[in-house]
Amino acid sequence: MSADPNCIFCKIVAGQIPARKVYEDEYILAFHDIAPWAPVHILLVPKLHIVSMAQLQPEHEALMGRMSVLVPRLMQELGVSNGFRTVINTGADGGQEVMHLHMHALGGPRPWSKG
């Protein structure tokens, strides 16, 4: 797998930075967000360093499908039973802060709701 030695998510994948892991296989690492926006807020990160969705290629189709199918299972295992939200920010204008593709999965009472 390719990695960027300066990328925080690549360092987490490599075990150089600790994370509260939820799931790991040969392609994906899922862990709790350090600044959660909801009672359950995890990140799913491909182990392959891909900067953002804008850099996805046809060979990444199975990886993205695997991430999407994994989310409901992980949220259920984490006790989320009334729905969840998934977000993938892409690029600076899309709100992406870490330039390594990642999917947010948020569950529980919605702090972003206005009432």
Side-chain angles (χ1 to χ4, degrees), residues 44-109:
L44 287 85
V45 177
K47 289 187 172 181
L48 175 66
H49 182 80
I50 304 167
V51 173
S52 76
M53 284 191 72
Q55 282 72 38
L56 287 174
Q57 299 296 315
E59 63 265 22
H60 301 126
E61 185 175 338
L63 172 66
M64 295 306 294
R66 185 179 190 94
M67 287 174 64
S68 297
V69 170
L70 183 58
V71 171
R73 182 181 119 199
L74 295 179
M75 295 307 272
Q76 182 178 19
E77 288 174 4
L78 292 168
V80 174
S81 60
N82 197 30
F84 56 87
R85 182 179 195 183
T86 56
V87 178
I88 301 176
N89 300 318
T90 303
D93 287 345
Q96 186 176 358
E97 295 177 6
V98 176
M99 294 303 149
H100 182 125
L101 176 67
H102 57 285
M103 177 185 292
H104 296 259
L106 303 98

